[in-house]
Amino acid sequence: MSPDLASYDRIIVAVSGGKDGTACLLALLEAGAPAERIELWHHEVDGAGRSFMDWPSTGPYVAALARDFSLPLYRSWREGGFEREMLRDNAPTAPVVFETPDGVITAGGQGPEGTRLRFPQVSVSLSVRWCSASLKVDVADRALRGQERFLNRRTLMVTGERAEESPARARYAASEPHRTDTRNGTRRRRHVDHWRPVHAWSEAEVCAILERWRVMPAYPYQVGFSRLSCAFCIFGNADQFATLKWMDANRFAKLAGYEKDFGRTIKRDRGLAELSSEGTVYEAVRSRPDLVAACLSDRPLQTVLTENWTLPAGAFGNGGGPL
């Protein structure tokens, strides 16, 4: 059952540039959510710096999406991003930085010392798959808990997980109290609900709403990727890594170098070099150098709206994804 959207003071939509998060925004607008109460949140997994794991084009895409719909966009990140956390050696996890209507806030960074010196691994445990926890989940929670404007207010957090993606995601509730909810507390009360409006949707339904609103799928979809997470996501399959090696050989080599340094691979059973050798480069990557350049560009985008909407090459693919 859909929540009473008009009852919330703020509606936060988590957007990564991926089709599902964008579909959430469009579904809210179609459902009549008050647009003046909606804001977009985007987590910069590389720490608002040079791309290490993520697509360089993701930030510009999200910024253009916000402009196209005249919505505020607030970014957040952990200082140093993925690479700093991966290289942490007898040091605390870095502080979280988040944008607010009143400026930028930095919080945390005084936790216990610890060492990673390894890539995250595919696992249902977020302590093992630490990239999701440290660079997204914890960052969002810090941003919510760290802003007085959410106290004594009703807030709706909207995210784009879909049951079709995996058995684990199929078990998620479509609606539930958010982790940061303290509505029953004795002090600092914060009413936060979590809603997944596209949880029961098929990929075809997601594509259909993007087409209705003429929202261009992000560039990685257009060259054949079926998901928009980090470019070098640990869930990637052989075809994805073969394609990434073709597209961005220098970054591929840097990650393969870290595998040697750590004595541990991104995948448990084989390294990037072996994995990529087993895959096939996406045809769209070979045939559309203009789209490859767009994927790897961090230049601003004028708009993500298009009159010539076409189904992207990556639609209905098998790109691997969260457990």
Side-chain angles (χ1 to χ4, degrees):
M1 187 174 72
S2 301
D4 177 7
L5 298 174
S7 72
Y8 292 96
D9 299 287
R10 300 306 302 171
I11 301 174
I12 300 167
V13 184
V15 289
S16 66
K19 62 185 185 303
D20 298 329
T22 302
C24 287
L25 169 62
L26 303 178
L28 283 169
L29 296 175
E30 288 190 352
E36 69 277 6
R37 302 181 195 177
I38 298 175
E39 57 190 61
L40 305 184
W41 283 22
H42 175 62
H43 307 309
E44 298 277 5
V45 297
D46 287 325
R50 186 175 181 179
S51 292
F52 173 66
M53 292 291 280
D54 207 1
W55 293 101
S57 53
T58 292
Y61 182 93
V62 170
L65 178 71
R67 287 196 305 273
D68 284 334
F69 288 91
S70 301
L71 296 171
L73 170 65
Y74 300 111
R75 301 177 307 141
S76 54
W77 60 91
R78 193 173 293 281
E79 283 188 0
F82 194 115
E83 190 170 21
R84 175 171 169 174
E85 180 62 21
M86 183 179 72
L87 297 177
R88 188 157 60 91
D89 187 8
N90 292 317
T93 295
V96 167
V97 182
F98 51 94
E99 298 172 338
T100 79
D102 300 315
V104 178
I105 295 175
T106 300
Q110 296 85 37
E113 294 183 351
T115 297
R116 290 209 188 275
L117 295 178
R118 66 184 66 187
F119 289 101
Q121 296 281 303
V122 173
S123 172
V124 294
S125 169
L126 293 185
S127 64
V128 177
R129 181 166 49 95
W130 55 260
C131 49
S132 295
S134 184
L135 304 174
K136 295 181 180 180
V137 176
D138 293 350
V139 169
D141 290 357
R142 277 273 187 184
L144 260 169
R145 293 188 177 111
Q147 297 185 59
E148 299 288 320
R149 67 190 179 106
F150 297 120
L151 292 177
N152 303 309
R153 298 288 188 274
R154 288 174 55 86
T155 301
L156 183 64
M157 172 64 80
V158 176
T159 61
E161 298 92 349
R162 290 189 300 114
E164 190 180 68
E165 293 178 299
S166 72
R169 290 196 167 189
R171 292 191 290 271
Y172 288 1
S175 182
E176 61 187 339
H178 191 261
R179 291 179 305 276
T180 61
D181 181 83
T182 56
R183 73 189 73 181
N184 297 320
T186 57
R187 54 186 295 273
R188 296 185 66 81
R189 291 185 178 179
R190 185 189 309 106
H191 184 124
V192 188
D193 288 322
H194 190 167
W195 187 38
R196 301 177 174 95
V198 301
H199 187 255
W201 288 26
S202 66
E203 185 174 353
E205 290 175 294
V206 170
C207 291
I209 198 169
L210 265 65
E211 184 176 10
R212 282 200 300 277
W213 287 79
R214 297 297 179 186
V215 175
M216 174 189 77
Y219 289 121
Y221 290 123
Q222 297 183 47
V223 297
F225 288 83
S226 60
R227 297 183 61 252
L228 190 89
S229 52
C230 286
F232 288 86
C233 179
I234 61 173
F235 287 94
N237 59 29
D239 289 346
Q240 286 176 269
F241 280 109
T243 301
L244 288 162
K245 184 177 182 180
W246 175 282
M247 293 177 67
D248 199 344
N250 289 337
R251 197 151 47 129
F252 184 95
K254 183 175 183 179
L255 291 170
Y258 275 133
E259 286 186 322
K260 293 179 180 179
D261 292 344
F262 299 153
R264 294 173 180 265
T265 56
I266 286 183
K267 298 287 189 179
R268 287 186 173 87
D269 55 346
R270 58 205 187 280
L272 287 177
E274 181 182 355
L275 181 64
S276 64
S277 70
E278 299 168 358
T280 301
V281 177
Y282 295 144
E283 177 56 35
V285 167
R286 294 181 182 273
S287 61
R288 293 293 305 273
D290 58 323
L291 289 179
V292 171
C295 287
L296 301 178
S297 173
D298 62 358
R299 287 178 293 185
L301 288 178
Q302 184 176 359
T303 182
V304 298
L305 302 179
T306 178
E307 291 301 317
N308 301 308
W309 198 96
T310 57
L311 194 66
F316 310 110
N318 181 25
L323 297 168

